[in-house]
């Protein structure tokens, strides 16, 4: 099982130097994948959680592809209705080619109603639009790839019944975001899915958390490593760790997240 990291590509403490440091540390610690988020119009509902500066994901990952050698690079998640599917196909395929086949396209339907309005898109039709765009991506991959390597892997986010059908029909993996392990276990037991690549929190505590509702990835290092082992047994090909907890001020102090990642990397290496 591979491990990835969701890196904040937004917030008042984030700049090109910090993004480069994130990539250097994630790759240096031996993680396998670096992912970033997506928003286009930073409307009030978006900016409250993900404020400026917000670095556009394709641009950011293209730049980081040149600053790394081994890391896979991806989106968690690209809001698919925001861009024409032919444009997404072109950008994703080119990034995949230029990075040596390292790109992963994680997609979702989006949640920010004001952002949809700012882009002139119908919020209530976002599920249908996502399905239409995924169908177009699947139709255009071979044509656009031009025979240069394999198509870009697609991870489909969401956990509604519609999202699970979408993942089964169009995806290479189901990519749930911050769900409890038991919820993911239940879904995997009842739905045939092409693959499993969850994103979970990463919040390291000094002592174990005994709350039965403890989220995956939150707790002592022993609890977090046990969570990763549970996800491996559930069939996860990749698990993405998300050290951002919703406070933009965190972006001024990435060292706490780096220390938590270092602890996971150390225990991972010791277990091999």
């Amino acid at each position: 099982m591979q491990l990835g990291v969701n890196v904040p590509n937004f917030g008042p403490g984030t700049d090109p130097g910090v993004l480069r440091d994130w990539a250097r540390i994630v790759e240096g610690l031996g993680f396998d994948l670096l992912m970033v988020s997506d928003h286009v119009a930073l409307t009030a509902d978006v900016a409250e959680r993900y404020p400026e500066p917000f670095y556009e994901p394709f641009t950011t990952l293209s730049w980081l592809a040149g600053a790394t050698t081994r890391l896979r690079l991806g989106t968690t998640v690209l809001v698919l209705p925001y861009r024409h599917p032919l444009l997404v196909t072109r950008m994703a395929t080119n990034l995949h080619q230029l990075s040596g086949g390292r790109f992963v396209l994680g997609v979702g339907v989006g949640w920010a109603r004001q952002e949809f309005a700012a882009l002139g898109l119908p919020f209530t039709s976002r599920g249908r639009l996502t399905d239409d765009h995924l169908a177009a991506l699947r139709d255009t991959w071979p044509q656009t790839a031009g025979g240069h390597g394999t198509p870009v892997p697609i991870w489909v986010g969401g956990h509604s019944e519609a999202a699970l059908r979408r993942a089964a029909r169009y995806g290479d993996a189901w990519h749930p975001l911050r769900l409890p392990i038991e919820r993911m276990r239940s879904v995997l037991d009842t739905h045939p899915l092409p693959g499993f690549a969850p994103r979970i929190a990463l919040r390291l505590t000094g002592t174990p958390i005994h709350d039965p509702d403890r989220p995956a990835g939150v707790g002592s290092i022993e609890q977090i490593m046990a969570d990763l082992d549970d996800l491996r047994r559930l069939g996860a090909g990749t698990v993405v760790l998300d050290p951002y907890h919703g406070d933009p001020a965190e972006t001024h102090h990435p060292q706490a997240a780096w220390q938590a990642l270092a602890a996971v990397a150390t225990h991972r290496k010791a277990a091999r």
Side-chain angles (χ1 to χ4, degrees):
M1 185 181 77
Q2 295 195 331
L3 288 184
V5 180
N6 185 35
V7 168
N9 54 318
F10 52 82
T14 299
D15 61 26
V18 171
L19 286 168
R20 191 166 49 245
D21 286 344
W22 269 105
R24 175 180 57 83
I25 287 168
V26 169
E27 186 166 56
L29 287 172
F31 288 93
D32 306 291
L33 170 66
L34 181 154
M35 305 192 91
V36 296
S37 304
D38 177 41
H39 284 287
V40 173
L42 297 193
T43 49
D45 50 351
V46 174
E48 182 178 0
R49 295 166 61 185
Y50 309 108
E52 291 276 14
F54 199 111
Y55 292 87
E56 194 278 327
F58 283 107
T59 308
T60 302
L61 293 173
S62 296
W63 179 61
L64 291 178
T68 57
T69 59
R70 181 188 53 79
L71 276 177
R72 288 194 297 161
L73 305 158
T75 53
T76 177
V77 290
L78 191 82
V79 184
L80 204 54
Y82 287 172
R83 301 166 181 84
H84 194 285
L86 293 180
L87 177 62
V88 173
T89 300
R90 177 63 61 192
M91 292 190 296
T93 301
N94 286 170
L95 178 49
H96 196 54
Q97 293 167 336
L98 292 169
S99 66
R102 290 189 280 150
F103 183 57
V104 177
L105 180 64
V107 302
V109 301
W111 56 268
R113 186 181 293 269
Q114 294 174 40
E115 188 175 22
F116 272 83
L119 294 170
L121 296 168
F123 181 77
T124 56
S125 299
R126 65 195 189 283
R128 176 184 58 77
L129 288 171
T130 299
D131 287 343
D132 291 346
H133 284 40
L134 280 168
L137 289 178
R138 284 301 192 194
D139 288 343
T140 55
W141 272 158
Q143 174 184 334
T144 307
H148 298 289
T150 58
V152 178
I154 298 175
W155 294 359
V156 179
H159 54 271
S160 67
E161 286 298 321
L164 295 170
R165 289 194 298 269
R166 186 174 300 124
R169 183 173 183 182
Y170 299 111
D172 297 295
W174 176 46
H175 183 50
L177 309 183
R178 290 179 172 254
L179 287 186
I181 285 181
E182 289 308 314
R183 176 66 195 282
M184 291 186 277
R185 189 192 312 277
S186 175
V187 168
L188 293 166
D189 284 346
T190 55
H191 294 78
L193 292 164
F196 178 43
R199 189 179 100 196
I200 65 172
L202 176 62
R203 186 192 290 269
L204 185 60
T205 61
T207 57
I209 294 177
H210 299 293
D211 186 340
D213 297 322
R214 178 185 66 86
V218 177
S220 67
I221 187 62
E222 291 78 15
Q223 288 178 306
I224 292 170
M225 300 310 294
D227 291 338
L228 293 175
D229 199 43
D230 284 343
L231 292 169
R232 180 188 57 79
R233 286 194 293 267
L234 286 176
T238 304
V239 175
V240 179
L241 302 173
D242 187 354
Y244 179 67
H245 306 300
D247 180 1
E250 295 174 39
T251 61
H252 285 295
H253 309 286
Q255 293 81 7
W258 297 343
Q259 290 170 2
L261 290 170
V264 172
T266 298
H267 279 73
R268 182 190 188 196
K269 188 178 297 185
R272 287 177 172 174

